Amino acid sequence: MTDPLTRRAFLHGTAVAALAASQELYAQPAAADDESHWRAVAAHYDVSADFVNLENAYYGIMGRPVADDFKRNIDTLNRDNSRLLRQSFDGDGTEAIRLRLARHLGVPVDEIALTRGATESLQNLISNYRPLRKGDTAVYGDLDYDAMQYAMNDLAERRGARVAIVRVPEPATRQGVLDAYERTLRANPRARLLLLTHISHRTGLVFPVADITRMAKRRGVDVIVDVAQSWGQLDYRLPDLQADFVGGNLHKWIGAPLGLGFIHIRKERLADIGVHLGDRDYERDDIRSRVHSGTLNSAAVMTIPAALRLHEEIGTAAKGARLRYLRDYWVGRVRPLGNVDILTPDVDGMYGTVTSFRLRGQGTREQNVALARRLMDQFGIFTVARHGPVGGSCVRVTPALFTQPAQLDHLVAALRQIAAG
């Protein structure tokens, strides 16, 4: 007879029922501008009415079916405690979720492991990358995530290697981006490792990852890809990126609880990523030996299937189209303003929902922190300042599925007033 603890933990009967109730809503693909449909989707999210939240690239609000499942899992875990973990979840339960995630990612289950987020995934990939030698070069871009830049610097220092930085031009074009990476790789013939971000958290620029990866591989350069911002927002599978090493998370555009991520290593390349801190819980030929996170938030892990199910019911393509529509809605109204520079191009394949701007001639850190503060204090619009682009600091705007066009009208009116001086 099946252990009732196992049934409670893994079948999520009530969660499945709650999610099934929404299936009719998502039965047919919806147009990105079908406001009645997207208002129904937005109703699944409990959002504060105290401000306009346009800073959704940090992490994603869970849909109500997911949040409800998370709460049930917390209660179950709190009640059944270590018996649940030791007798059921730490073995078959976790593996069932890992298999579900692998299918979602489009890779074999033995090529992924769960982590606490993209930062842990990428830090482990970088810090344990074995082929970098003294005199080699590690390459990253100025739009890559800060913690990953730090990890690349640390790896190079420990191995006696050099660092080269790709300066992404503004305004960005697809060819301009490709040329910048080509120039840097050509100028560094001993380049061995390249860090590449799919969607920059600084500007929202979508990089042509597959093309750059092929370019790097032709020169014998390995690529580690950061998909923290793209997974769940863009419609693709991991093999499409052509990369052997990928780190991502589930708490941004998938909408799972905070503190969840994954690491992907193509099986044939596993030996090139060292075992993490001497782990012996798993064999050296098991990807799980490349991560040792300690005790994960098990209730969050239990909620991954609910998050994936809601994401898939909405549809990756439909979600991405709606997010780009919302981005185009405000960008198209702001571009005509004479002294506001939008930092992502209006070119298919080069942007998602994340987009940054700066007031012309105002690129200092202090100016953009002040601008984000003014948007919040004066207009009730929450954004965030980002730093590092070649043209200076900027303010990031990130709509989500629950964002309404009227809220973006409010942003446009605020920027029109600010730009007018």
Side-chain angles (χ1 to χ4, degrees), residues 126 129 132 137-141 144 152 164-166 181 184-185 191-197 209 212-217 220-226 243 245:
I126 294 167
Y129 177 75
L132 193 72
T137 304
V139 182
Y140 60 81
D144 291 326
M152 292 287 281
I165 302 174
V166 180
Y181 278 85
T184 303
L185 292 174
R192 189 70 183 87
L193 178 65
L194 171 65
L195 172 66
L196 192 58
T197 300
V209 167
I212 297 174
T213 300
R214 283 190 287 265
M215 174 198 304
K217 285 185 173 183
V221 179
D222 283 327
V223 180
I224 294 175
V225 178
D226 175 353
F245 313 110

PDB file of all heavy atoms in Angstrom, residues 126 129 132 137-141 144 152 164-166 181 184-185 191-197 209 212-217 220-226 243 245:
ATOM      1  N   ILE A 126      31.765  27.930 -12.709  1.00  0.00           N
ATOM      2  CA  ILE A 126      32.966  28.741 -12.937  1.00  0.00           C
ATOM      3  C   ILE A 126      34.109  28.314 -12.021  1.00  0.00           C
ATOM      4  O   ILE A 126      35.225  28.051 -12.471  1.00  0.00           O
ATOM      5  CB  ILE A 126      32.638  30.235 -12.739  1.00  0.00           C
ATOM      6  CG1 ILE A 126      31.662  30.712 -13.824  1.00  0.00           C
ATOM      7  CG2 ILE A 126      33.912  31.083 -12.762  1.00  0.00           C
ATOM      8  CD1 ILE A 126      31.041  32.070 -13.539  1.00  0.00           C
ATOM      9  N   TYR A 129      35.660  24.943 -12.907  1.00  0.00           N
ATOM     10  CA  TYR A 129      36.043  24.686 -14.290  1.00  0.00           C
ATOM     11  C   TYR A 129      37.525  24.310 -14.330  1.00  0.00           C
ATOM     12  O   TYR A 129      38.401  25.100 -13.970  1.00  0.00           O
ATOM     13  CB  TYR A 129      35.763  25.913 -15.156  1.00  0.00           C
ATOM     14  CG  TYR A 129      36.192  25.765 -16.583  1.00  0.00           C
ATOM     15  CD1 TYR A 129      35.454  24.981 -17.473  1.00  0.00           C
ATOM     16  CD2 TYR A 129      37.349  26.385 -17.053  1.00  0.00           C
ATOM     17  CE1 TYR A 129      35.848  24.833 -18.792  1.00  0.00           C
ATOM     18  CE2 TYR A 129      37.753  26.245 -18.372  1.00  0.00           C
ATOM     19  CZ  TYR A 129      36.996  25.466 -19.238  1.00  0.00           C
ATOM     20  OH  TYR A 129      37.398  25.320 -20.546  1.00  0.00           O
ATOM     21  N   LEU A 132      41.061  25.601 -17.345  1.00  0.00           N
ATOM     22  CA  LEU A 132      41.774  26.877 -17.378  1.00  0.00           C
ATOM     23  C   LEU A 132      43.151  26.708 -16.742  1.00  0.00           C
ATOM     24  O   LEU A 132      43.279  26.227 -15.622  1.00  0.00           O
ATOM     25  CB  LEU A 132      40.980  27.955 -16.644  1.00  0.00           C
ATOM     26  CG  LEU A 132      41.469  29.392 -16.885  1.00  0.00           C
ATOM     27  CD1 LEU A 132      41.117  29.852 -18.294  1.00  0.00           C
ATOM     28  CD2 LEU A 132      40.880  30.353 -15.849  1.00  0.00           C
ATOM     29  N   THR A 137      43.186  32.775 -20.842  1.00  0.00           N
ATOM     30  CA  THR A 137      42.356  33.955 -20.645  1.00  0.00           C
ATOM     31  C   THR A 137      40.913  33.540 -20.391  1.00  0.00           C
ATOM     32  O   THR A 137      40.372  32.671 -21.090  1.00  0.00           O
ATOM     33  CB  THR A 137      42.393  34.887 -21.875  1.00  0.00           C
ATOM     34  OG1 THR A 137      43.750  35.239 -22.145  1.00  0.00           O
ATOM     35  CG2 THR A 137      41.585  36.155 -21.629  1.00  0.00           C
ATOM     36  N   ALA A 138      40.303  34.150 -19.375  1.00  0.00           N
ATOM     37  CA  ALA A 138      38.876  33.992 -19.095  1.00  0.00           C
ATOM     38  C   ALA A 138      38.171  35.260 -19.569  1.00  0.00           C
ATOM     39  O   ALA A 138      38.611  36.371 -19.256  1.00  0.00           O
ATOM     40  CB  ALA A 138      38.641  33.771 -17.611  1.00  0.00           C
ATOM     41  N   VAL A 139      37.083  35.115 -20.317  1.00  0.00           N
ATOM     42  CA  VAL A 139      36.421  36.251 -20.958  1.00  0.00           C
ATOM     43  C   VAL A 139      34.994  36.383 -20.435  1.00  0.00           C
ATOM     44  O   VAL A 139      34.268  35.393 -20.313  1.00  0.00           O
ATOM     45  CB  VAL A 139      36.392  36.070 -22.489  1.00  0.00           C
ATOM     46  CG1 VAL A 139      35.737  37.283 -23.166  1.00  0.00           C
ATOM     47  CG2 VAL A 139      37.799  35.839 -23.041  1.00  0.00           C
ATOM     48  N   TYR A 140      34.604  37.602 -20.128  1.00  0.00           N
ATOM     49  CA  TYR A 140      33.202  37.877 -19.817  1.00  0.00           C
ATOM     50  C   TYR A 140      32.841  39.260 -20.333  1.00  0.00           C
ATOM     51  O   TYR A 140      33.701  40.041 -20.749  1.00  0.00           O
ATOM     52  CB  TYR A 140      32.902  37.749 -18.319  1.00  0.00           C
ATOM     53  CG  TYR A 140      33.668  38.674 -17.405  1.00  0.00           C
ATOM     54  CD1 TYR A 140      33.264  39.997 -17.213  1.00  0.00           C
ATOM     55  CD2 TYR A 140      34.774  38.212 -16.683  1.00  0.00           C
ATOM     56  CE1 TYR A 140      33.949  40.844 -16.336  1.00  0.00           C
ATOM     57  CE2 TYR A 140      35.461  39.044 -15.808  1.00  0.00           C
ATOM     58  CZ  TYR A 140      35.038  40.361 -15.641  1.00  0.00           C
ATOM     59  OH  TYR A 140      35.718  41.192 -14.775  1.00  0.00           O
ATOM     60  N   GLY A 141      31.536  39.567 -20.319  1.00  0.00           N
ATOM     61  CA  GLY A 141      31.051  40.828 -20.851  1.00  0.00           C
ATOM     62  C   GLY A 141      30.695  41.812 -19.754  1.00  0.00           C
ATOM     63  O   GLY A 141      30.403  41.432 -18.618  1.00  0.00           O
ATOM     64  N   ASP A 144      27.325  41.158 -18.066  1.00  0.00           N
ATOM     65  CA  ASP A 144      27.102  39.950 -17.271  1.00  0.00           C
ATOM     66  C   ASP A 144      26.833  40.316 -15.812  1.00  0.00           C
ATOM     67  O   ASP A 144      27.169  41.408 -15.341  1.00  0.00           O
ATOM     68  CB  ASP A 144      28.322  39.019 -17.355  1.00  0.00           C
ATOM     69  CG  ASP A 144      28.486  38.398 -18.732  1.00  0.00           C
ATOM     70  OD1 ASP A 144      27.462  38.134 -19.381  1.00  0.00           O
ATOM     71  OD2 ASP A 144      29.642  38.188 -19.155  1.00  0.00           O
ATOM     72  N   MET A 152      34.525  34.838 -12.156  1.00  0.00           N
ATOM     73  CA  MET A 152      35.499  34.710 -13.254  1.00  0.00           C
ATOM     74  C   MET A 152      36.833  35.339 -12.853  1.00  0.00           C
ATOM     75  O   MET A 152      37.904  34.780 -13.123  1.00  0.00           O
ATOM     76  CB  MET A 152      34.948  35.371 -14.510  1.00  0.00           C
ATOM     77  CG  MET A 152      33.749  34.656 -15.125  1.00  0.00           C
ATOM     78  SD  MET A 152      34.166  33.104 -15.962  1.00  0.00           S
ATOM     79  CE  MET A 152      34.801  33.727 -17.524  1.00  0.00           C
ATOM     80  N   ALA A 164      39.722  39.059 -19.816  1.00  0.00           N
ATOM     81  CA  ALA A 164      39.404  40.007 -20.885  1.00  0.00           C
ATOM     82  C   ALA A 164      37.911  40.300 -20.826  1.00  0.00           C
ATOM     83  O   ALA A 164      37.099  39.389 -20.584  1.00  0.00           O
ATOM     84  CB  ALA A 164      39.781  39.441 -22.250  1.00  0.00           C
ATOM     85  N   ILE A 165      37.536  41.565 -21.018  1.00  0.00           N
ATOM     86  CA  ILE A 165      36.143  41.989 -20.880  1.00  0.00           C
ATOM     87  C   ILE A 165      35.626  42.494 -22.223  1.00  0.00           C
ATOM     88  O   ILE A 165      36.253  43.338 -22.867  1.00  0.00           O
ATOM     89  CB  ILE A 165      35.998  43.088 -19.813  1.00  0.00           C
ATOM     90  CG1 ILE A 165      36.515  42.583 -18.465  1.00  0.00           C
ATOM     91  CG2 ILE A 165      34.535  43.523 -19.692  1.00  0.00           C
ATOM     92  CD1 ILE A 165      36.538  43.645 -17.385  1.00  0.00           C
ATOM     93  N   VAL A 166      34.466  41.969 -22.634  1.00  0.00           N
ATOM     94  CA  VAL A 166      33.798  42.421 -23.849  1.00  0.00           C
ATOM     95  C   VAL A 166      32.963  43.647 -23.509  1.00  0.00           C
ATOM     96  O   VAL A 166      32.117  43.601 -22.603  1.00  0.00           O
ATOM     97  CB  VAL A 166      32.894  41.319 -24.432  1.00  0.00           C
ATOM     98  CG1 VAL A 166      32.208  41.801 -25.705  1.00  0.00           C
ATOM     99  CG2 VAL A 166      33.681  40.042 -24.684  1.00  0.00           C
ATOM    100  N   TYR A 181      32.235  40.424 -29.582  1.00  0.00           N
ATOM    101  CA  TYR A 181      32.759  39.155 -29.066  1.00  0.00           C
ATOM    102  C   TYR A 181      33.843  38.601 -29.988  1.00  0.00           C
ATOM    103  O   TYR A 181      34.854  38.057 -29.516  1.00  0.00           O
ATOM    104  CB  TYR A 181      31.619  38.155 -28.865  1.00  0.00           C
ATOM    105  CG  TYR A 181      30.891  38.380 -27.563  1.00  0.00           C
ATOM    106  CD1 TYR A 181      29.859  39.316 -27.467  1.00  0.00           C
ATOM    107  CD2 TYR A 181      31.260  37.688 -26.417  1.00  0.00           C
ATOM    108  CE1 TYR A 181      29.216  39.547 -26.263  1.00  0.00           C
ATOM    109  CE2 TYR A 181      30.616  37.915 -25.204  1.00  0.00           C
ATOM    110  CZ  TYR A 181      29.601  38.850 -25.135  1.00  0.00           C
ATOM    111  OH  TYR A 181      28.979  39.088 -23.937  1.00  0.00           O
ATOM    112  N   THR A 184      37.108  40.470 -29.332  1.00  0.00           N
ATOM    113  CA  THR A 184      37.734  40.113 -28.059  1.00  0.00           C
ATOM    114  C   THR A 184      38.362  38.729 -28.133  1.00  0.00           C
ATOM    115  O   THR A 184      39.483  38.510 -27.638  1.00  0.00           O
ATOM    116  CB  THR A 184      36.704  40.172 -26.922  1.00  0.00           C
ATOM    117  OG1 THR A 184      36.128  41.487 -26.871  1.00  0.00           O
ATOM    118  CG2 THR A 184      37.348  39.865 -25.581  1.00  0.00           C
ATOM    119  N   LEU A 185      37.682  37.777 -28.745  1.00  0.00           N
ATOM    120  CA  LEU A 185      38.253  36.437 -28.869  1.00  0.00           C
ATOM    121  C   LEU A 185      39.472  36.446 -29.778  1.00  0.00           C
ATOM    122  O   LEU A 185      40.470  35.765 -29.506  1.00  0.00           O
ATOM    123  CB  LEU A 185      37.192  35.470 -29.388  1.00  0.00           C
ATOM    124  CG  LEU A 185      36.032  35.169 -28.425  1.00  0.00           C
ATOM    125  CD1 LEU A 185      34.980  34.311 -29.108  1.00  0.00           C
ATOM    126  CD2 LEU A 185      36.525  34.503 -27.151  1.00  0.00           C
ATOM    127  N   ALA A 191      42.295  32.516 -25.071  1.00  0.00           N
ATOM    128  CA  ALA A 191      40.994  32.436 -24.400  1.00  0.00           C
ATOM    129  C   ALA A 191      40.588  30.975 -24.282  1.00  0.00           C
ATOM    130  O   ALA A 191      40.683  30.201 -25.239  1.00  0.00           O
ATOM    131  CB  ALA A 191      39.950  33.225 -25.174  1.00  0.00           C
ATOM    132  N   ARG A 192      40.129  30.604 -23.086  1.00  0.00           N
ATOM    133  CA  ARG A 192      39.732  29.205 -22.846  1.00  0.00           C
ATOM    134  C   ARG A 192      38.304  29.090 -22.357  1.00  0.00           C
ATOM    135  O   ARG A 192      37.640  28.091 -22.576  1.00  0.00           O
ATOM    136  CB  ARG A 192      40.669  28.574 -21.801  1.00  0.00           C
ATOM    137  CG  ARG A 192      40.480  27.079 -21.640  1.00  0.00           C
ATOM    138  CD  ARG A 192      40.967  26.347 -22.868  1.00  0.00           C
ATOM    139  NE  ARG A 192      40.743  24.903 -22.786  1.00  0.00           N
ATOM    140  CZ  ARG A 192      39.607  24.289 -23.166  1.00  0.00           C
ATOM    141  NH1 ARG A 192      38.603  24.997 -23.640  1.00  0.00           N
ATOM    142  NH2 ARG A 192      39.496  22.977 -23.090  1.00  0.00           N
ATOM    143  N   LEU A 193      37.824  30.137 -21.672  1.00  0.00           N
ATOM    144  CA  LEU A 193      36.488  30.095 -21.075  1.00  0.00           C
ATOM    145  C   LEU A 193      35.792  31.426 -21.305  1.00  0.00           C
ATOM    146  O   LEU A 193      36.388  32.489 -21.097  1.00  0.00           O
ATOM    147  CB  LEU A 193      36.572  29.805 -19.577  1.00  0.00           C
ATOM    148  CG  LEU A 193      35.245  29.770 -18.814  1.00  0.00           C
ATOM    149  CD1 LEU A 193      34.374  28.616 -19.307  1.00  0.00           C
ATOM    150  CD2 LEU A 193      35.489  29.650 -17.314  1.00  0.00           C
ATOM    151  N   LEU A 194      34.520  31.356 -21.717  1.00  0.00           N
ATOM    152  CA  LEU A 194      33.696  32.538 -21.953  1.00  0.00           C
ATOM    153  C   LEU A 194      32.415  32.432 -21.146  1.00  0.00           C
ATOM    154  O   LEU A 194      31.707  31.421 -21.218  1.00  0.00           O
ATOM    155  CB  LEU A 194      33.353  32.660 -23.438  1.00  0.00           C
ATOM    156  CG  LEU A 194      32.312  33.716 -23.843  1.00  0.00           C
ATOM    157  CD1 LEU A 194      32.814  35.125 -23.551  1.00  0.00           C
ATOM    158  CD2 LEU A 194      31.932  33.576 -25.318  1.00  0.00           C
ATOM    159  N   LEU A 195      32.142  33.449 -20.353  1.00  0.00           N
ATOM    160  CA  LEU A 195      30.854  33.573 -19.671  1.00  0.00           C
ATOM    161  C   LEU A 195      29.915  34.347 -20.580  1.00  0.00           C
ATOM    162  O   LEU A 195      30.295  35.386 -21.129  1.00  0.00           O
ATOM    163  CB  LEU A 195      31.027  34.311 -18.341  1.00  0.00           C
ATOM    164  CG  LEU A 195      29.732  34.696 -17.605  1.00  0.00           C
ATOM    165  CD1 LEU A 195      28.984  33.462 -17.129  1.00  0.00           C
ATOM    166  CD2 LEU A 195      30.059  35.618 -16.421  1.00  0.00           C
ATOM    167  N   LEU A 196      28.709  33.860 -20.733  1.00  0.00           N
ATOM    168  CA  LEU A 196      27.750  34.483 -21.643  1.00  0.00           C
ATOM    169  C   LEU A 196      26.375  34.522 -20.985  1.00  0.00           C
ATOM    170  O   LEU A 196      25.921  33.520 -20.429  1.00  0.00           O
ATOM    171  CB  LEU A 196      27.698  33.685 -22.945  1.00  0.00           C
ATOM    172  CG  LEU A 196      26.981  34.289 -24.146  1.00  0.00           C
ATOM    173  CD1 LEU A 196      27.578  35.631 -24.530  1.00  0.00           C
ATOM    174  CD2 LEU A 196      27.065  33.317 -25.328  1.00  0.00           C
ATOM    175  N   THR A 197      25.738  35.683 -21.040  1.00  0.00           N
ATOM    176  CA  THR A 197      24.410  35.856 -20.453  1.00  0.00           C
ATOM    177  C   THR A 197      23.366  35.902 -21.554  1.00  0.00           C
ATOM    178  O   THR A 197      23.537  36.623 -22.540  1.00  0.00           O
ATOM    179  CB  THR A 197      24.350  37.150 -19.630  1.00  0.00           C
ATOM    180  OG1 THR A 197      25.328  37.085 -18.587  1.00  0.00           O
ATOM    181  CG2 THR A 197      22.976  37.345 -19.012  1.00  0.00           C
ATOM    182  N   VAL A 209      23.009  33.875 -28.227  1.00  0.00           N
ATOM    183  CA  VAL A 209      23.849  32.927 -27.501  1.00  0.00           C
ATOM    184  C   VAL A 209      24.361  31.795 -28.392  1.00  0.00           C
ATOM    185  O   VAL A 209      25.544  31.456 -28.369  1.00  0.00           O
ATOM    186  CB  VAL A 209      23.078  32.361 -26.284  1.00  0.00           C
ATOM    187  CG1 VAL A 209      23.796  31.158 -25.698  1.00  0.00           C
ATOM    188  CG2 VAL A 209      22.915  33.435 -25.223  1.00  0.00           C
ATOM    189  N   ILE A 212      27.121  33.046 -30.728  1.00  0.00           N
ATOM    190  CA  ILE A 212      28.369  33.353 -30.027  1.00  0.00           C
ATOM    191  C   ILE A 212      29.022  32.073 -29.521  1.00  0.00           C
ATOM    192  O   ILE A 212      30.252  31.926 -29.546  1.00  0.00           O
ATOM    193  CB  ILE A 212      28.114  34.339 -28.879  1.00  0.00           C
ATOM    194  CG1 ILE A 212      27.585  35.679 -29.427  1.00  0.00           C
ATOM    195  CG2 ILE A 212      29.390  34.586 -28.081  1.00  0.00           C
ATOM    196  CD1 ILE A 212      27.158  36.664 -28.351  1.00  0.00           C
ATOM    197  N   THR A 213      28.203  31.127 -29.062  1.00  0.00           N
ATOM    198  CA  THR A 213      28.745  29.859 -28.583  1.00  0.00           C
ATOM    199  C   THR A 213      29.447  29.108 -29.702  1.00  0.00           C
ATOM    200  O   THR A 213      30.556  28.574 -29.521  1.00  0.00           O
ATOM    201  CB  THR A 213      27.627  28.993 -27.976  1.00  0.00           C
ATOM    202  OG1 THR A 213      27.036  29.695 -26.876  1.00  0.00           O
ATOM    203  CG2 THR A 213      28.177  27.669 -27.475  1.00  0.00           C
ATOM    204  N   ARG A 214      28.822  29.064 -30.866  1.00  0.00           N
ATOM    205  CA  ARG A 214      29.475  28.404 -32.007  1.00  0.00           C
ATOM    206  C   ARG A 214      30.776  29.123 -32.368  1.00  0.00           C
ATOM    207  O   ARG A 214      31.791  28.478 -32.682  1.00  0.00           O
ATOM    208  CB  ARG A 214      28.524  28.358 -33.195  1.00  0.00           C
ATOM    209  CG  ARG A 214      27.440  27.281 -33.093  1.00  0.00           C
ATOM    210  CD  ARG A 214      26.681  27.124 -34.384  1.00  0.00           C
ATOM    211  NE  ARG A 214      25.786  28.246 -34.620  1.00  0.00           N
ATOM    212  CZ  ARG A 214      24.497  28.246 -34.293  1.00  0.00           C
ATOM    213  NH1 ARG A 214      23.961  27.175 -33.712  1.00  0.00           N
ATOM    214  NH2 ARG A 214      23.738  29.305 -34.534  1.00  0.00           N
ATOM    215  N   MET A 215      30.745  30.451 -32.340  1.00  0.00           N
ATOM    216  CA  MET A 215      31.943  31.239 -32.616  1.00  0.00           C
ATOM    217  C   MET A 215      33.063  30.868 -31.647  1.00  0.00           C
ATOM    218  O   MET A 215      34.225  30.676 -32.050  1.00  0.00           O
ATOM    219  CB  MET A 215      31.612  32.733 -32.486  1.00  0.00           C
ATOM    220  CG  MET A 215      32.782  33.676 -32.617  1.00  0.00           C
ATOM    221  SD  MET A 215      32.384  35.329 -31.945  1.00  0.00           S
ATOM    222  CE  MET A 215      30.924  35.777 -32.879  1.00  0.00           C
ATOM    223  N   ALA A 216      32.711  30.780 -30.360  1.00  0.00           N
ATOM    224  CA  ALA A 216      33.709  30.466 -29.342  1.00  0.00           C
ATOM    225  C   ALA A 216      34.246  29.051 -29.517  1.00  0.00           C
ATOM    226  O   ALA A 216      35.458  28.813 -29.430  1.00  0.00           O
ATOM    227  CB  ALA A 216      33.102  30.644 -27.952  1.00  0.00           C
ATOM    228  N   LYS A 217      33.365  28.102 -29.767  1.00  0.00           N
ATOM    229  CA  LYS A 217      33.794  26.711 -29.892  1.00  0.00           C
ATOM    230  C   LYS A 217      34.746  26.516 -31.070  1.00  0.00           C
ATOM    231  O   LYS A 217      35.649  25.680 -31.011  1.00  0.00           O
ATOM    232  CB  LYS A 217      32.577  25.790 -30.013  1.00  0.00           C
ATOM    233  CG  LYS A 217      31.828  25.585 -28.701  1.00  0.00           C
ATOM    234  CD  LYS A 217      30.712  24.576 -28.859  1.00  0.00           C
ATOM    235  CE  LYS A 217      30.068  24.244 -27.522  1.00  0.00           C
ATOM    236  NZ  LYS A 217      29.015  23.215 -27.638  1.00  0.00           N
ATOM    237  N   GLY A 220      38.042  26.925 -29.839  1.00  0.00           N
ATOM    238  CA  GLY A 220      38.429  26.086 -28.713  1.00  0.00           C
ATOM    239  C   GLY A 220      38.096  26.684 -27.360  1.00  0.00           C
ATOM    240  O   GLY A 220      38.719  26.340 -26.349  1.00  0.00           O
ATOM    241  N   VAL A 221      37.090  27.581 -27.331  1.00  0.00           N
ATOM    242  CA  VAL A 221      36.704  28.263 -26.096  1.00  0.00           C
ATOM    243  C   VAL A 221      35.400  27.659 -25.573  1.00  0.00           C
ATOM    244  O   VAL A 221      34.409  27.569 -26.301  1.00  0.00           O
ATOM    245  CB  VAL A 221      36.520  29.779 -26.332  1.00  0.00           C
ATOM    246  CG1 VAL A 221      36.090  30.482 -25.048  1.00  0.00           C
ATOM    247  CG2 VAL A 221      37.795  30.396 -26.900  1.00  0.00           C
ATOM    248  N   ASP A 222      35.408  27.240 -24.320  1.00  0.00           N
ATOM    249  CA  ASP A 222      34.192  26.746 -23.680  1.00  0.00           C
ATOM    250  C   ASP A 222      33.314  27.912 -23.236  1.00  0.00           C
ATOM    251  O   ASP A 222      33.813  29.004 -22.924  1.00  0.00           O
ATOM    252  CB  ASP A 222      34.537  25.884 -22.462  1.00  0.00           C
ATOM    253  CG  ASP A 222      35.001  24.492 -22.861  1.00  0.00           C
ATOM    254  OD1 ASP A 222      34.506  23.971 -23.871  1.00  0.00           O
ATOM    255  OD2 ASP A 222      35.861  23.931 -22.148  1.00  0.00           O
ATOM    256  N   VAL A 223      32.008  27.659 -23.176  1.00  0.00           N
ATOM    257  CA  VAL A 223      31.044  28.700 -22.821  1.00  0.00           C
ATOM    258  C   VAL A 223      30.189  28.230 -21.650  1.00  0.00           C
ATOM    259  O   VAL A 223      29.652  27.117 -21.663  1.00  0.00           O
ATOM    260  CB  VAL A 223      30.147  29.063 -24.016  1.00  0.00           C
ATOM    261  CG1 VAL A 223      29.147  30.144 -23.625  1.00  0.00           C
ATOM    262  CG2 VAL A 223      30.987  29.518 -25.214  1.00  0.00           C
ATOM    263  N   ILE A 224      30.065  29.088 -20.648  1.00  0.00           N
ATOM    264  CA  ILE A 224      29.115  28.907 -19.549  1.00  0.00           C
ATOM    265  C   ILE A 224      28.016  29.942 -19.734  1.00  0.00           C
ATOM    266  O   ILE A 224      28.298  31.141 -19.833  1.00  0.00           O
ATOM    267  CB  ILE A 224      29.797  29.091 -18.186  1.00  0.00           C
ATOM    268  CG1 ILE A 224      30.819  27.977 -17.942  1.00  0.00           C
ATOM    269  CG2 ILE A 224      28.751  29.107 -17.056  1.00  0.00           C
ATOM    270  CD1 ILE A 224      31.627  28.151 -16.663  1.00  0.00           C
ATOM    271  N   VAL A 225      26.770  29.490 -19.807  1.00  0.00           N
ATOM    272  CA  VAL A 225      25.655  30.384 -20.119  1.00  0.00           C
ATOM    273  C   VAL A 225      24.779  30.608 -18.892  1.00  0.00           C
ATOM    274  O   VAL A 225      24.375  29.661 -18.212  1.00  0.00           O
ATOM    275  CB  VAL A 225      24.805  29.837 -21.282  1.00  0.00           C
ATOM    276  CG1 VAL A 225      23.620  30.766 -21.562  1.00  0.00           C
ATOM    277  CG2 VAL A 225      25.650  29.697 -22.543  1.00  0.00           C
ATOM    278  N   ASP A 226      24.481  31.872 -18.649  1.00  0.00           N
ATOM    279  CA  ASP A 226      23.597  32.315 -17.580  1.00  0.00           C
ATOM    280  C   ASP A 226      22.212  32.555 -18.176  1.00  0.00           C
ATOM    281  O   ASP A 226      22.021  33.473 -18.976  1.00  0.00           O
ATOM    282  CB  ASP A 226      24.169  33.603 -16.977  1.00  0.00           C
ATOM    283  CG  ASP A 226      23.284  34.241 -15.919  1.00  0.00           C
ATOM    284  OD1 ASP A 226      22.145  33.786 -15.722  1.00  0.00           O
ATOM    285  OD2 ASP A 226      23.742  35.232 -15.302  1.00  0.00           O
ATOM    286  N   ALA A 243      25.364  25.219 -25.767  1.00  0.00           N
ATOM    287  CA  ALA A 243      26.358  25.318 -24.695  1.00  0.00           C
ATOM    288  C   ALA A 243      26.413  24.018 -23.897  1.00  0.00           C
ATOM    289  O   ALA A 243      25.413  23.309 -23.752  1.00  0.00           O
ATOM    290  CB  ALA A 243      26.048  26.484 -23.776  1.00  0.00           C
ATOM    291  N   PHE A 245      27.523  24.029 -20.652  1.00  0.00           N
ATOM    292  CA  PHE A 245      27.388  24.377 -19.236  1.00  0.00           C
ATOM    293  C   PHE A 245      26.385  25.519 -19.095  1.00  0.00           C
ATOM    294  O   PHE A 245      26.565  26.580 -19.690  1.00  0.00           O
ATOM    295  CB  PHE A 245      28.736  24.806 -18.663  1.00  0.00           C
ATOM    296  CG  PHE A 245      29.879  23.896 -19.007  1.00  0.00           C
ATOM    297  CD1 PHE A 245      30.872  24.304 -19.880  1.00  0.00           C
ATOM    298  CD2 PHE A 245      29.958  22.623 -18.462  1.00  0.00           C
ATOM    299  CE1 PHE A 245      31.933  23.469 -20.209  1.00  0.00           C
ATOM    300  CE2 PHE A 245      31.018  21.781 -18.777  1.00  0.00           C
ATOM    301  CZ  PHE A 245      32.001  22.197 -19.657  1.00  0.00           C
TER     302      PHE A 245
END
